[in-house]
Amino acid sequence: MKHPDYKSILVIQQGKQCEILLNRPERKNAINLEMLQELDFAFEWLMQDNEINVVLLKSPDPEIFSAGGDLTDIASVSPDDAYNLGLRVQSVFSKLTKLPQIVVACMRGKVMGGGAELCLYADFRIAHENMTLMLPELRHGMIPGAGGISLLSRIAGIGDTLFLLAGGTSFSADDALRTGIVQHVADNQHYDEFVSRTASFMMETEREVAATAKHIAWSNLNRSIGECLCMESQEFGSLLNRFGRDKIIEFMNSKKAKKTS
C-alpha cells in the first residue's frame, strides 16, 4: 500500500506487480469524484515508479466490477461544468495509456458505464465467465462521456458499439470476446490462475521493451482520437444538461420509492 489515505480504492504492490481495486462496496464501486481523484493520484505515482512492470485493475467483489459513474455526483454537476466533467474523467482514465507499465483490466461480474470505460483504457482485458458488460447511459438521457464510444468503436467496430449502446442490450463474456473487447475468457476454476500466469510473464519481461511496444500501439490509435474525445465530451455535457440530469433524478427517485414501498 503506497498511500494510507485511500478511501475508495485499494493499491497493493507485490514486487513488480501492482493491483488497483475499486473499493466502494456500499455503492457497488460506482466511480464518484473522490474515487476519480484517488485513481488520478495512483496513476501519477505509477508514472514515476521504476520497479513495477504490470498493473491489474480489479474489484474485491467477484459479482461486480463497477456500477459505472456515480449518478448522484453526475446529477449534481452544474450546467456549466457538464462538459468539463467528461474532460476530467477522460484526463484521468487516459493516463493508463501513458503508463510505462502494462495495464490489465480483470473484469468479473457486472461491468457498467464508466467502469467499462475505465477498462477500455487498459492495454488488454481478461474476463471471468460471469462478466456482463453494459453501457446504460442512453436510458439516462446521455451518452458515455469518458471516451467509451470513441474507444469501443475502434475496438469492436461501429455496429457492435451501437448495438451495445442503442440496442439496450448487454454483452456476455463470450460476446465481448467475439467483438475483441476482451482478449481472453476463463471459467471460475482457471480465472485467477490465468491472470496470475499472464502477470508473471509480464513481470519477467524487460520493462522498457514492453513499454515501447505499448507506446507504439497506443500512438498509432491516438493519431485521430483526440478530436473524437473532444466531441464526445461536448455531446456528453450537452445531453446531460438537456436530458440526463432529469432522467437520473427520476431514476433515483424511482429506486427510493421501491425501497420504501
Side-chain angles (χ1 to χ4, degrees), residues 187-221:
D187 60 23
N188 192 58
Q189 181 179 355
H190 300 101
Y191 183 77
D192 290 336
E193 176 190 352
F194 184 84
V195 170
S196 178
R197 188 167 70 248
T198 303
S200 294
F201 175 80
M202 287 184 288
M203 284 188 283
E204 295 168 2
T205 302
E206 183 65 41
R207 173 185 156 114
E208 187 174 347
V209 173
T212 300
K214 170 177 177 170
H215 173 70
I216 293 172
W218 278 105
S219 294
N220 286 338
L221 177 64

PDB file of all heavy atoms in Angstrom, residues 187-221:
ATOM      1  N   ASP A 187     -12.997 -19.647 -17.043  1.00  0.00           N
ATOM      2  CA  ASP A 187     -14.030 -20.058 -16.097  1.00  0.00           C
ATOM      3  C   ASP A 187     -13.535 -19.863 -14.673  1.00  0.00           C
ATOM      4  O   ASP A 187     -12.376 -19.495 -14.432  1.00  0.00           O
ATOM      5  CB  ASP A 187     -14.464 -21.502 -16.348  1.00  0.00           C
ATOM      6  CG  ASP A 187     -13.328 -22.516 -16.207  1.00  0.00           C
ATOM      7  OD1 ASP A 187     -12.331 -22.216 -15.503  1.00  0.00           O
ATOM      8  OD2 ASP A 187     -13.424 -23.609 -16.787  1.00  0.00           O
ATOM      9  N   ASN A 188     -14.410 -20.107 -13.721  1.00  0.00           N
ATOM     10  CA  ASN A 188     -14.102 -19.828 -12.326  1.00  0.00           C
ATOM     11  C   ASN A 188     -12.893 -20.608 -11.834  1.00  0.00           C
ATOM     12  O   ASN A 188     -12.086 -20.115 -11.037  1.00  0.00           O
ATOM     13  CB  ASN A 188     -15.319 -20.147 -11.451  1.00  0.00           C
ATOM     14  CG  ASN A 188     -15.170 -19.606 -10.046  1.00  0.00           C
ATOM     15  OD1 ASN A 188     -14.996 -18.403  -9.862  1.00  0.00           O
ATOM     16  ND2 ASN A 188     -15.213 -20.479  -9.055  1.00  0.00           N
ATOM     17  N   GLN A 189     -12.742 -21.825 -12.325  1.00  0.00           N
ATOM     18  CA  GLN A 189     -11.655 -22.685 -11.870  1.00  0.00           C
ATOM     19  C   GLN A 189     -10.291 -22.180 -12.335  1.00  0.00           C
ATOM     20  O   GLN A 189      -9.280 -22.346 -11.635  1.00  0.00           O
ATOM     21  CB  GLN A 189     -11.877 -24.113 -12.369  1.00  0.00           C
ATOM     22  CG  GLN A 189     -10.800 -25.101 -11.919  1.00  0.00           C
ATOM     23  CD  GLN A 189     -11.064 -26.511 -12.423  1.00  0.00           C
ATOM     24  OE1 GLN A 189     -12.103 -26.770 -13.031  1.00  0.00           O
ATOM     25  NE2 GLN A 189     -10.133 -27.416 -12.177  1.00  0.00           N
ATOM     26  N   HIS A 190     -10.251 -21.547 -13.515  1.00  0.00           N
ATOM     27  CA  HIS A 190      -8.972 -21.189 -14.115  1.00  0.00           C
ATOM     28  C   HIS A 190      -8.705 -19.680 -14.177  1.00  0.00           C
ATOM     29  O   HIS A 190      -7.623 -19.272 -14.614  1.00  0.00           O
ATOM     30  CB  HIS A 190      -8.890 -21.767 -15.533  1.00  0.00           C
ATOM     31  CG  HIS A 190      -8.996 -23.255 -15.577  1.00  0.00           C
ATOM     32  ND1 HIS A 190     -10.162 -23.907 -15.928  1.00  0.00           N
ATOM     33  CD2 HIS A 190      -8.089 -24.219 -15.297  1.00  0.00           C
ATOM     34  CE1 HIS A 190      -9.967 -25.212 -15.879  1.00  0.00           C
ATOM     35  NE2 HIS A 190      -8.716 -25.435 -15.497  1.00  0.00           N
ATOM     36  N   TYR A 191      -9.667 -18.861 -13.761  1.00  0.00           N
ATOM     37  CA  TYR A 191      -9.535 -17.415 -13.965  1.00  0.00           C
ATOM     38  C   TYR A 191      -8.326 -16.835 -13.218  1.00  0.00           C
ATOM     39  O   TYR A 191      -7.457 -16.194 -13.814  1.00  0.00           O
ATOM     40  CB  TYR A 191     -10.809 -16.699 -13.528  1.00  0.00           C
ATOM     41  CG  TYR A 191     -10.775 -15.207 -13.786  1.00  0.00           C
ATOM     42  CD1 TYR A 191     -10.969 -14.697 -15.061  1.00  0.00           C
ATOM     43  CD2 TYR A 191     -10.538 -14.302 -12.755  1.00  0.00           C
ATOM     44  CE1 TYR A 191     -10.929 -13.339 -15.315  1.00  0.00           C
ATOM     45  CE2 TYR A 191     -10.500 -12.940 -12.995  1.00  0.00           C
ATOM     46  CZ  TYR A 191     -10.691 -12.460 -14.273  1.00  0.00           C
ATOM     47  OH  TYR A 191     -10.639 -11.113 -14.512  1.00  0.00           O
ATOM     48  N   ASP A 192      -8.276 -17.041 -11.909  1.00  0.00           N
ATOM     49  CA  ASP A 192      -7.181 -16.475 -11.118  1.00  0.00           C
ATOM     50  C   ASP A 192      -5.830 -16.995 -11.593  1.00  0.00           C
ATOM     51  O   ASP A 192      -4.838 -16.256 -11.628  1.00  0.00           O
ATOM     52  CB  ASP A 192      -7.376 -16.792  -9.631  1.00  0.00           C
ATOM     53  CG  ASP A 192      -8.538 -16.033  -9.017  1.00  0.00           C
ATOM     54  OD1 ASP A 192      -8.894 -14.967  -9.560  1.00  0.00           O
ATOM     55  OD2 ASP A 192      -9.090 -16.494  -8.004  1.00  0.00           O
ATOM     56  N   GLU A 193      -5.789 -18.261 -11.959  1.00  0.00           N
ATOM     57  CA  GLU A 193      -4.550 -18.862 -12.445  1.00  0.00           C
ATOM     58  C   GLU A 193      -4.095 -18.194 -13.737  1.00  0.00           C
ATOM     59  O   GLU A 193      -2.903 -17.899 -13.915  1.00  0.00           O
ATOM     60  CB  GLU A 193      -4.752 -20.363 -12.671  1.00  0.00           C
ATOM     61  CG  GLU A 193      -3.543 -21.069 -13.280  1.00  0.00           C
ATOM     62  CD  GLU A 193      -3.874 -22.490 -13.711  1.00  0.00           C
ATOM     63  OE1 GLU A 193      -4.968 -22.984 -13.403  1.00  0.00           O
ATOM     64  OE2 GLU A 193      -3.015 -23.089 -14.389  1.00  0.00           O
ATOM     65  N   PHE A 194      -5.040 -17.932 -14.643  1.00  0.00           N
ATOM     66  CA  PHE A 194      -4.673 -17.310 -15.918  1.00  0.00           C
ATOM     67  C   PHE A 194      -4.180 -15.886 -15.704  1.00  0.00           C
ATOM     68  O   PHE A 194      -3.182 -15.473 -16.299  1.00  0.00           O
ATOM     69  CB  PHE A 194      -5.857 -17.315 -16.884  1.00  0.00           C
ATOM     70  CG  PHE A 194      -5.507 -16.785 -18.240  1.00  0.00           C
ATOM     71  CD1 PHE A 194      -4.942 -17.612 -19.195  1.00  0.00           C
ATOM     72  CD2 PHE A 194      -5.710 -15.446 -18.557  1.00  0.00           C
ATOM     73  CE1 PHE A 194      -4.582 -17.126 -20.448  1.00  0.00           C
ATOM     74  CE2 PHE A 194      -5.361 -14.941 -19.805  1.00  0.00           C
ATOM     75  CZ  PHE A 194      -4.793 -15.791 -20.755  1.00  0.00           C
ATOM     76  N   VAL A 195      -4.876 -15.121 -14.852  1.00  0.00           N
ATOM     77  CA  VAL A 195      -4.439 -13.751 -14.568  1.00  0.00           C
ATOM     78  C   VAL A 195      -3.041 -13.763 -13.969  1.00  0.00           C
ATOM     79  O   VAL A 195      -2.166 -12.977 -14.360  1.00  0.00           O
ATOM     80  CB  VAL A 195      -5.431 -13.053 -13.618  1.00  0.00           C
ATOM     81  CG1 VAL A 195      -4.860 -11.720 -13.129  1.00  0.00           C
ATOM     82  CG2 VAL A 195      -6.772 -12.824 -14.307  1.00  0.00           C
ATOM     83  N   SER A 196      -2.821 -14.659 -13.017  1.00  0.00           N
ATOM     84  CA  SER A 196      -1.511 -14.746 -12.362  1.00  0.00           C
ATOM     85  C   SER A 196      -0.417 -15.126 -13.344  1.00  0.00           C
ATOM     86  O   SER A 196       0.681 -14.545 -13.333  1.00  0.00           O
ATOM     87  CB  SER A 196      -1.573 -15.769 -11.219  1.00  0.00           C
ATOM     88  OG  SER A 196      -0.318 -15.908 -10.606  1.00  0.00           O
ATOM     89  N   ARG A 197      -0.704 -16.072 -14.226  1.00  0.00           N
ATOM     90  CA  ARG A 197       0.293 -16.513 -15.201  1.00  0.00           C
ATOM     91  C   ARG A 197       0.625 -15.394 -16.190  1.00  0.00           C
ATOM     92  O   ARG A 197       1.790 -15.187 -16.552  1.00  0.00           O
ATOM     93  CB  ARG A 197      -0.217 -17.743 -15.936  1.00  0.00           C
ATOM     94  CG  ARG A 197       0.836 -18.394 -16.827  1.00  0.00           C
ATOM     95  CD  ARG A 197       0.417 -19.781 -17.285  1.00  0.00           C
ATOM     96  NE  ARG A 197      -0.685 -19.754 -18.230  1.00  0.00           N
ATOM     97  CZ  ARG A 197      -1.909 -20.199 -17.980  1.00  0.00           C
ATOM     98  NH1 ARG A 197      -2.193 -20.708 -16.785  1.00  0.00           N
ATOM     99  NH2 ARG A 197      -2.855 -20.159 -18.901  1.00  0.00           N
ATOM    100  N   THR A 198      -0.401 -14.649 -16.597  1.00  0.00           N
ATOM    101  CA  THR A 198      -0.181 -13.532 -17.519  1.00  0.00           C
ATOM    102  C   THR A 198       0.660 -12.446 -16.861  1.00  0.00           C
ATOM    103  O   THR A 198       1.590 -11.906 -17.467  1.00  0.00           O
ATOM    104  CB  THR A 198      -1.533 -12.951 -17.975  1.00  0.00           C
ATOM    105  OG1 THR A 198      -2.323 -13.976 -18.570  1.00  0.00           O
ATOM    106  CG2 THR A 198      -1.328 -11.824 -18.969  1.00  0.00           C
ATOM    107  N   ALA A 199       0.324 -12.128 -15.608  1.00  0.00           N
ATOM    108  CA  ALA A 199       1.086 -11.105 -14.880  1.00  0.00           C
ATOM    109  C   ALA A 199       2.534 -11.546 -14.677  1.00  0.00           C
ATOM    110  O   ALA A 199       3.463 -10.737 -14.791  1.00  0.00           O
ATOM    111  CB  ALA A 199       0.420 -10.823 -13.542  1.00  0.00           C
ATOM    112  N   SER A 200       2.729 -12.826 -14.381  1.00  0.00           N
ATOM    113  CA  SER A 200       4.088 -13.341 -14.161  1.00  0.00           C
ATOM    114  C   SER A 200       4.938 -13.186 -15.410  1.00  0.00           C
ATOM    115  O   SER A 200       6.113 -12.814 -15.342  1.00  0.00           O
ATOM    116  CB  SER A 200       4.038 -14.808 -13.742  1.00  0.00           C
ATOM    117  OG  SER A 200       3.420 -14.950 -12.481  1.00  0.00           O
ATOM    118  N   PHE A 201       4.354 -13.462 -16.567  1.00  0.00           N
ATOM    119  CA  PHE A 201       5.090 -13.311 -17.824  1.00  0.00           C
ATOM    120  C   PHE A 201       5.539 -11.869 -18.004  1.00  0.00           C
ATOM    121  O   PHE A 201       6.683 -11.601 -18.382  1.00  0.00           O
ATOM    122  CB  PHE A 201       4.228 -13.749 -19.006  1.00  0.00           C
ATOM    123  CG  PHE A 201       4.874 -13.497 -20.342  1.00  0.00           C
ATOM    124  CD1 PHE A 201       5.841 -14.366 -20.832  1.00  0.00           C
ATOM    125  CD2 PHE A 201       4.539 -12.387 -21.104  1.00  0.00           C
ATOM    126  CE1 PHE A 201       6.451 -14.135 -22.063  1.00  0.00           C
ATOM    127  CE2 PHE A 201       5.144 -12.144 -22.323  1.00  0.00           C
ATOM    128  CZ  PHE A 201       6.103 -13.024 -22.803  1.00  0.00           C
ATOM    129  N   MET A 202       4.646 -10.930 -17.715  1.00  0.00           N
ATOM    130  CA  MET A 202       4.981  -9.521 -17.918  1.00  0.00           C
ATOM    131  C   MET A 202       5.989  -9.034 -16.884  1.00  0.00           C
ATOM    132  O   MET A 202       6.794  -8.148 -17.171  1.00  0.00           O
ATOM    133  CB  MET A 202       3.709  -8.672 -17.892  1.00  0.00           C
ATOM    134  CG  MET A 202       2.878  -8.850 -19.146  1.00  0.00           C
ATOM    135  SD  MET A 202       1.431  -7.790 -19.195  1.00  0.00           S
ATOM    136  CE  MET A 202       0.409  -8.589 -17.955  1.00  0.00           C
ATOM    137  N   MET A 203       5.953  -9.619 -15.693  1.00  0.00           N
ATOM    138  CA  MET A 203       6.942  -9.240 -14.684  1.00  0.00           C
ATOM    139  C   MET A 203       8.334  -9.714 -15.069  1.00  0.00           C
ATOM    140  O   MET A 203       9.338  -9.138 -14.659  1.00  0.00           O
ATOM    141  CB  MET A 203       6.538  -9.802 -13.318  1.00  0.00           C
ATOM    142  CG  MET A 203       5.401  -9.040 -12.656  1.00  0.00           C
ATOM    143  SD  MET A 203       5.088  -9.561 -10.954  1.00  0.00           S
ATOM    144  CE  MET A 203       4.205 -11.106 -11.219  1.00  0.00           C
ATOM    145  N   GLU A 204       8.398 -10.769 -15.872  1.00  0.00           N
ATOM    146  CA  GLU A 204       9.688 -11.295 -16.314  1.00  0.00           C
ATOM    147  C   GLU A 204      10.173 -10.632 -17.601  1.00  0.00           C
ATOM    148  O   GLU A 204      11.325 -10.822 -18.001  1.00  0.00           O
ATOM    149  CB  GLU A 204       9.573 -12.809 -16.528  1.00  0.00           C
ATOM    150  CG  GLU A 204       9.290 -13.583 -15.245  1.00  0.00           C
ATOM    151  CD  GLU A 204       8.883 -15.019 -15.508  1.00  0.00           C
ATOM    152  OE1 GLU A 204       8.862 -15.417 -16.697  1.00  0.00           O
ATOM    153  OE2 GLU A 204       8.573 -15.729 -14.533  1.00  0.00           O
ATOM    154  N   THR A 205       9.300  -9.861 -18.248  1.00  0.00           N
ATOM    155  CA  THR A 205       9.649  -9.187 -19.492  1.00  0.00           C
ATOM    156  C   THR A 205      10.402  -7.903 -19.189  1.00  0.00           C
ATOM    157  O   THR A 205      10.093  -7.193 -18.218  1.00  0.00           O
ATOM    158  CB  THR A 205       8.377  -8.866 -20.297  1.00  0.00           C
ATOM    159  OG1 THR A 205       7.670 -10.076 -20.559  1.00  0.00           O
ATOM    160  CG2 THR A 205       8.721  -8.177 -21.606  1.00  0.00           C
ATOM    161  N   GLU A 206      11.399  -7.589 -20.011  1.00  0.00           N
ATOM    162  CA  GLU A 206      12.138  -6.335 -19.839  1.00  0.00           C
ATOM    163  C   GLU A 206      11.161  -5.172 -19.911  1.00  0.00           C
ATOM    164  O   GLU A 206      10.445  -4.994 -20.902  1.00  0.00           O
ATOM    165  CB  GLU A 206      13.196  -6.199 -20.932  1.00  0.00           C
ATOM    166  CG  GLU A 206      14.060  -4.975 -20.804  1.00  0.00           C
ATOM    167  CD  GLU A 206      14.923  -4.980 -19.550  1.00  0.00           C
ATOM    168  OE1 GLU A 206      15.457  -6.063 -19.217  1.00  0.00           O
ATOM    169  OE2 GLU A 206      15.057  -3.908 -18.921  1.00  0.00           O
ATOM    170  N   ARG A 207      11.123  -4.376 -18.870  1.00  0.00           N
ATOM    171  CA  ARG A 207      10.118  -3.318 -18.737  1.00  0.00           C
ATOM    172  C   ARG A 207      10.147  -2.334 -19.908  1.00  0.00           C
ATOM    173  O   ARG A 207       9.116  -1.978 -20.468  1.00  0.00           O
ATOM    174  CB  ARG A 207      10.342  -2.589 -17.406  1.00  0.00           C
ATOM    175  CG  ARG A 207       9.479  -1.352 -17.190  1.00  0.00           C
ATOM    176  CD  ARG A 207       9.917  -0.697 -15.889  1.00  0.00           C
ATOM    177  NE  ARG A 207       9.579   0.701 -15.875  1.00  0.00           N
ATOM    178  CZ  ARG A 207       8.692   1.255 -15.059  1.00  0.00           C
ATOM    179  NH1 ARG A 207       8.045   0.504 -14.203  1.00  0.00           N
ATOM    180  NH2 ARG A 207       8.461   2.540 -15.080  1.00  0.00           N
ATOM    181  N   GLU A 208      11.331  -1.900 -20.303  1.00  0.00           N
ATOM    182  CA  GLU A 208      11.433  -0.904 -21.361  1.00  0.00           C
ATOM    183  C   GLU A 208      10.943  -1.447 -22.698  1.00  0.00           C
ATOM    184  O   GLU A 208      10.376  -0.716 -23.505  1.00  0.00           O
ATOM    185  CB  GLU A 208      12.876  -0.411 -21.488  1.00  0.00           C
ATOM    186  CG  GLU A 208      13.022   0.755 -22.457  1.00  0.00           C
ATOM    187  CD  GLU A 208      14.428   1.328 -22.467  1.00  0.00           C
ATOM    188  OE1 GLU A 208      15.215   0.992 -21.558  1.00  0.00           O
ATOM    189  OE2 GLU A 208      14.730   2.108 -23.382  1.00  0.00           O
ATOM    190  N   VAL A 209      11.149  -2.731 -22.924  1.00  0.00           N
ATOM    191  CA  VAL A 209      10.696  -3.351 -24.164  1.00  0.00           C
ATOM    192  C   VAL A 209       9.174  -3.338 -24.237  1.00  0.00           C
ATOM    193  O   VAL A 209       8.572  -2.950 -25.248  1.00  0.00           O
ATOM    194  CB  VAL A 209      11.231  -4.798 -24.277  1.00  0.00           C
ATOM    195  CG1 VAL A 209      10.626  -5.494 -25.491  1.00  0.00           C
ATOM    196  CG2 VAL A 209      12.749  -4.797 -24.359  1.00  0.00           C
ATOM    197  N   ALA A 210       8.534  -3.777 -23.137  1.00  0.00           N
ATOM    198  CA  ALA A 210       7.069  -3.787 -23.096  1.00  0.00           C
ATOM    199  C   ALA A 210       6.508  -2.374 -23.197  1.00  0.00           C
ATOM    200  O   ALA A 210       5.510  -2.130 -23.884  1.00  0.00           O
ATOM    201  CB  ALA A 210       6.592  -4.463 -21.811  1.00  0.00           C
ATOM    202  N   ALA A 211       7.164  -1.425 -22.512  1.00  0.00           N
ATOM    203  CA  ALA A 211       6.696  -0.038 -22.539  1.00  0.00           C
ATOM    204  C   ALA A 211       6.788   0.544 -23.946  1.00  0.00           C
ATOM    205  O   ALA A 211       5.920   1.312 -24.373  1.00  0.00           O
ATOM    206  CB  ALA A 211       7.510   0.808 -21.556  1.00  0.00           C
ATOM    207  N   THR A 212       7.816   0.180 -24.683  1.00  0.00           N
ATOM    208  CA  THR A 212       7.973   0.674 -26.051  1.00  0.00           C
ATOM    209  C   THR A 212       6.884   0.121 -26.956  1.00  0.00           C
ATOM    210  O   THR A 212       6.289   0.844 -27.768  1.00  0.00           O
ATOM    211  CB  THR A 212       9.358   0.290 -26.599  1.00  0.00           C
ATOM    212  OG1 THR A 212      10.368   0.874 -25.771  1.00  0.00           O
ATOM    213  CG2 THR A 212       9.528   0.783 -28.027  1.00  0.00           C
ATOM    214  N   ALA A 213       6.615  -1.180 -26.830  1.00  0.00           N
ATOM    215  CA  ALA A 213       5.546  -1.793 -27.627  1.00  0.00           C
ATOM    216  C   ALA A 213       4.208  -1.131 -27.328  1.00  0.00           C
ATOM    217  O   ALA A 213       3.414  -0.841 -28.239  1.00  0.00           O
ATOM    218  CB  ALA A 213       5.474  -3.289 -27.335  1.00  0.00           C
ATOM    219  N   LYS A 214       3.965  -0.872 -26.048  1.00  0.00           N
ATOM    220  CA  LYS A 214       2.718  -0.221 -25.646  1.00  0.00           C
ATOM    221  C   LYS A 214       2.629   1.182 -26.247  1.00  0.00           C
ATOM    222  O   LYS A 214       1.579   1.569 -26.783  1.00  0.00           O
ATOM    223  CB  LYS A 214       2.651  -0.153 -24.120  1.00  0.00           C
ATOM    224  CG  LYS A 214       1.528   0.718 -23.581  1.00  0.00           C
ATOM    225  CD  LYS A 214       1.461   0.684 -22.065  1.00  0.00           C
ATOM    226  CE  LYS A 214       0.388   1.626 -21.543  1.00  0.00           C
ATOM    227  NZ  LYS A 214       0.128   1.438 -20.100  1.00  0.00           N
ATOM    228  N   HIS A 215       3.699   1.938 -26.166  1.00  0.00           N
ATOM    229  CA  HIS A 215       3.693   3.309 -26.677  1.00  0.00           C
ATOM    230  C   HIS A 215       3.376   3.348 -28.168  1.00  0.00           C
ATOM    231  O   HIS A 215       2.563   4.161 -28.631  1.00  0.00           O
ATOM    232  CB  HIS A 215       5.050   3.965 -26.413  1.00  0.00           C
ATOM    233  CG  HIS A 215       5.208   5.308 -27.038  1.00  0.00           C
ATOM    234  ND1 HIS A 215       4.533   6.435 -26.614  1.00  0.00           N
ATOM    235  CD2 HIS A 215       5.965   5.709 -28.108  1.00  0.00           C
ATOM    236  CE1 HIS A 215       4.851   7.460 -27.367  1.00  0.00           C
ATOM    237  NE2 HIS A 215       5.713   7.054 -28.275  1.00  0.00           N
ATOM    238  N   ILE A 216       3.996   2.449 -28.922  1.00  0.00           N
ATOM    239  CA  ILE A 216       3.760   2.419 -30.366  1.00  0.00           C
ATOM    240  C   ILE A 216       2.309   2.068 -30.674  1.00  0.00           C
ATOM    241  O   ILE A 216       1.655   2.689 -31.525  1.00  0.00           O
ATOM    242  CB  ILE A 216       4.718   1.424 -31.043  1.00  0.00           C
ATOM    243  CG1 ILE A 216       6.155   1.934 -30.947  1.00  0.00           C
ATOM    244  CG2 ILE A 216       4.324   1.205 -32.505  1.00  0.00           C
ATOM    245  CD1 ILE A 216       7.189   0.931 -31.406  1.00  0.00           C
ATOM    246  N   ALA A 217       1.780   1.060 -29.965  1.00  0.00           N
ATOM    247  CA  ALA A 217       0.402   0.627 -30.211  1.00  0.00           C
ATOM    248  C   ALA A 217      -0.597   1.749 -29.949  1.00  0.00           C
ATOM    249  O   ALA A 217      -1.484   2.015 -30.765  1.00  0.00           O
ATOM    250  CB  ALA A 217       0.077  -0.588 -29.344  1.00  0.00           C
ATOM    251  N   TRP A 218      -0.453   2.423 -28.809  1.00  0.00           N
ATOM    252  CA  TRP A 218      -1.393   3.498 -28.477  1.00  0.00           C
ATOM    253  C   TRP A 218      -1.185   4.727 -29.355  1.00  0.00           C
ATOM    254  O   TRP A 218      -2.148   5.418 -29.693  1.00  0.00           O
ATOM    255  CB  TRP A 218      -1.271   3.869 -27.002  1.00  0.00           C
ATOM    256  CG  TRP A 218      -2.027   2.946 -26.095  1.00  0.00           C
ATOM    257  CD1 TRP A 218      -1.510   1.972 -25.298  1.00  0.00           C
ATOM    258  CD2 TRP A 218      -3.443   2.893 -25.909  1.00  0.00           C
ATOM    259  NE1 TRP A 218      -2.518   1.318 -24.617  1.00  0.00           N
ATOM    260  CE2 TRP A 218      -3.705   1.869 -24.968  1.00  0.00           C
ATOM    261  CE3 TRP A 218      -4.508   3.613 -26.436  1.00  0.00           C
ATOM    262  CZ2 TRP A 218      -5.006   1.547 -24.555  1.00  0.00           C
ATOM    263  CZ3 TRP A 218      -5.794   3.303 -26.019  1.00  0.00           C
ATOM    264  CH2 TRP A 218      -6.034   2.282 -25.097  1.00  0.00           C
ATOM    265  N   SER A 219       0.059   4.998 -29.729  1.00  0.00           N
ATOM    266  CA  SER A 219       0.310   6.154 -30.600  1.00  0.00           C
ATOM    267  C   SER A 219      -0.370   5.977 -31.944  1.00  0.00           C
ATOM    268  O   SER A 219      -0.932   6.922 -32.502  1.00  0.00           O
ATOM    269  CB  SER A 219       1.819   6.350 -30.792  1.00  0.00           C
ATOM    270  OG  SER A 219       2.448   6.706 -29.588  1.00  0.00           O
ATOM    271  N   ASN A 220      -0.325   4.757 -32.478  1.00  0.00           N
ATOM    272  CA  ASN A 220      -0.991   4.505 -33.749  1.00  0.00           C
ATOM    273  C   ASN A 220      -2.493   4.730 -33.645  1.00  0.00           C
ATOM    274  O   ASN A 220      -3.131   5.249 -34.567  1.00  0.00           O
ATOM    275  CB  ASN A 220      -0.714   3.068 -34.209  1.00  0.00           C
ATOM    276  CG  ASN A 220       0.693   2.886 -34.719  1.00  0.00           C
ATOM    277  OD1 ASN A 220       1.342   3.846 -35.107  1.00  0.00           O
ATOM    278  ND2 ASN A 220       1.188   1.654 -34.714  1.00  0.00           N
ATOM    279  N   LEU A 221      -3.073   4.344 -32.527  1.00  0.00           N
ATOM    280  CA  LEU A 221      -4.508   4.505 -32.331  1.00  0.00           C
ATOM    281  C   LEU A 221      -4.884   5.958 -32.102  1.00  0.00           C
ATOM    282  O   LEU A 221      -5.929   6.424 -32.561  1.00  0.00           O
ATOM    283  CB  LEU A 221      -4.961   3.665 -31.127  1.00  0.00           C
ATOM    284  CG  LEU A 221      -6.430   3.770 -30.720  1.00  0.00           C
ATOM    285  CD1 LEU A 221      -7.334   3.231 -31.825  1.00  0.00           C
ATOM    286  CD2 LEU A 221      -6.670   3.012 -29.426  1.00  0.00           C
TER     287      LEU A 221
END
